[in-house]
Amino acid sequence: MFRYERWHRPSRDADETDRERLAALVLTRQRRIYVMLAVMAGVFAVLAWRLFYWQVLERDTVLAMRPLTRVQPAEQAPRGTIRDRNGYLLAIDTTRYNIGVSPNLISDPEALAAEIAPLIGRSEDELKTLLTRDDPYVRIASMAPYTVGHTLANMETPAFVIEPVILRSHPNGTLAAHVLGFVNLDRQGYGLERTFADWLEGSAIVCEPPTCRVVSDVVAEEVKLGPRVFMPTRDGVDLVLTIDRTIQFMAEQELQAAIELYGAESGTILVLDPKSGDVLAMANWPTYDPDNYANVPSERFINPAISEQYEPGSTFKVITVASALDAEAIAPDMVFNDTGAIEVGGRIIKNWDEKGRGIVNLRQILGYSLNTATAWINTQLGVERFLAYVDAFGFGKPTGIGMPEEAAGTVKRPGDGLWHPSDLGTNAFGQGIAVTPIQMVRAFAAVINGGNLVRPRLIRAVVDHGRILEFEPQVDGHPISPFTAHYMQTLLADAVELETRTALIDGYRIGGKTGTAQVPIPGGYHKEDTIASFIGYAPVDDPQFVILVKLDKPKGEFRWGSQSAAPTFQRLARRVLTYLNIPPDRLRLSRR
């Protein structure tokens, strides 16, 4: 049974006890807050003191302990090198620096300006103004050389911000500029830098026989190429060209000398190995400096040796005669009665001097460079067969040398609206047909190398991350038989000895053909301007090289190929024979 107890109000003593306990609790909490605030104030005081201590009292010590500079990582991947056939460097990546500063980190702007002014090529006053600006970052130098960036990176100041920029550098200056090309800041290229950009930047290469063979599948630490030993690029592919640095230098030197000596506007020299198609030298004038391309008009970047079409003139007579002999349209012992003029397709064709030579043979036809006789030979060959041989020699289409903007040349044909029956006569001596220098020297090489139309090439091998891959010569056809080629090889030597003595070299028998082509203008041809050329080879019995010399608009008596291009060939060929260590004929032939 529940018991009910009556509720009653607490006494006054109990109420006072509760108030005392509550007051004590509040006081305790207040003391704790005061303690926490005091501790926090102490911590902040210590931090403030340390900050003042290191930033004011010990500022110099802090600066000495900080990293010397802020060096940004390079944004561009490195490219492989380009080397000549003997391993000498032609193009390589180099590092330049954009230099900036943070003015708020400079303790003594005047002293720093005095120290770095000679390094970056600016005045002390100009630098002092830049170093005291109220900006977080100020650029003080662009594209500074590696030595400058390295020096500034090691100076005792944290103010510098150094940004590396990878640029393409050419250790030999303008040498082979039109072959190598360049890479601009957007990594867009010209020349071989454009054609083989993917390889140079490290793309895998598929080596398929018979065009390519693996010389060494071992990833080598060092590569020996001729007399040179070099370390292969790890992040890219090294290109090994067919160009010989020394022969290239000789060709450029002789070309520039000829331009100046004969008053020509421009010119091209090509040196080709007629058996392999290797381009040993490809020289053009005017040229340019690929390390300073920004100051050059863009049309200068185009390679005239592969992109510029011209009428070859009498050098084309070699193709006409070889074709007619091979087709048996004429016999090696043929003769022609040269009266000084002949009519072909309704047009009267005359010799260059408008004179007749009477009864002449093939040696005289080529030696005296007779337009009339060559035009007659082409009438014996006929339009259809002539154009078939023109095609077989590779005219009217790119050679496949593997460079951008290669021209195809121009060959007129019946039915195209351009052909006229008289073209059969004028084409025979290189008028009314347009070729490129690389087409012309390639076709000439086929005439004296056994009849093989070898594809001209600029890439000899690649070093793919240490693996050596070599490319084989490619034969694109056989326009004439070995018998015809052998006969032409001797015939061209006889022709040079007959009339072009300016090309002869003591101790060596050489062969070749001059050319003097009129320059086309609207409505006809210029009365004075010519393109003087000569294509020759040596030694005659075993050609080791063929040289094309082309001079545009030489002045006065030098407008004739025999007076300007032929002597230029002689000077260059003599140097190449010495460089290649080819003994004079008498000594060389006595060893057989």
Side-chain angles (χ1 to χ4, degrees), residues 245-325:
R245 183 183 69 164
T246 301
I247 297 178
Q248 178 73 29
F249 173 78
M250 293 175 179
E252 292 187 9
Q253 191 177 55
E254 293 296 344
L255 177 60
Q256 185 175 356
I259 296 290
E260 296 174 357
L261 181 61
Y262 305 124
E265 291 185 0
S266 56
T268 294
I269 288 181
L270 286 167
V271 184
L272 192 77
D273 181 335
K275 298 172 185 176
S276 66
D278 285 0
V279 178
L280 303 177
M282 181 179 283
N284 299 289
W285 184 266
T287 186
Y288 70 96
D289 183 354
D291 286 342
N292 292 290
Y293 61 85
N295 300 318
V296 179
S298 58
E299 59 268 20
R300 188 75 60 82
F301 304 149
I302 305 301
N303 186 345
I306 64 168
S307 300
E308 183 178 283
Q309 300 183 166
Y310 73 106
E311 293 193 359
S314 293
T315 56
F316 202 82
K317 291 173 181 174
V318 174
I319 306 303
T320 302
V321 171
S323 300
L325 284 170

Side-chain angles (χ1 to χ4, degrees), residues 170-235:
H170 303 82
N172 301 286
T174 62
L175 190 79
H178 284 103
V179 176
L180 301 174
F182 62 89
V183 180
N184 61 23
L185 293 177
D186 295 325
R187 305 303 272 181
Q188 295 177 340
Y190 287 80
L192 291 180
E193 293 279 13
R194 170 181 167 184
T195 306
F196 297 98
D198 290 343
W199 285 7
L200 289 166
E201 292 173 359
S203 294
I205 299 174
V206 178
C207 186
E208 298 179 349
T211 59
C212 174
R213 68 186 183 94
V214 179
V215 178
S216 172
D217 204 21
V218 178
V219 179
E221 293 295 329
E222 291 184 340
V223 173
K224 188 175 190 305
L225 192 66
R228 305 291 295 173
V229 176
F230 65 91
M231 295 179 62
T233 302
R234 290 304 174 194
D235 296 323

Side-chain angles (χ1 to χ4, degrees), residues 97 176 305 317 393 478 521 529:
Y97 293 96
K317 291 173 181 174
F393 273 107
H478 307 276
I521 58 175
D529 290 345

Side-chain angles (χ1 to χ4, degrees), residues 379-409:
T379 64
Q380 305 306 297
L381 185 60
V383 175
E384 186 175 335
R385 287 194 294 180
F386 170 69
L387 291 176
Y389 275 99
V390 167
D391 290 340
F393 273 107
F395 296 107
K397 55 190 173 185
T399 65
I401 193 172
M403 291 193 71
E405 300 174 336
E406 182 181 5

Side-chain angles (χ1 to χ4, degrees), residues 161-173:
V161 178
I162 301 178
E163 303 170 276
V165 180
I166 296 177
L167 296 178
R168 210 60 168 157
S169 176
H170 303 82
N172 301 286

Side-chain angles (χ1 to χ4, degrees), residues 506-517:
D506 291 341
Y508 300 89
R509 194 165 190 234
I510 66 103
K513 183 70 188 78
T514 58
T516 304

Side-chain angles (χ1 to χ4, degrees), residues 147 172 249 290 299 333 342 346 349 394 401 411 432 442 454 511 516 534 564 574:
T147 52
N172 301 286
F249 173 78
E299 59 268 20
D333 59 352
I342 187 175
I349 292 174
I401 193 172
V411 177
R442 177 203 195 190
V454 184
T516 304
F534 184 87
S564 54
R574 186 190 297 117

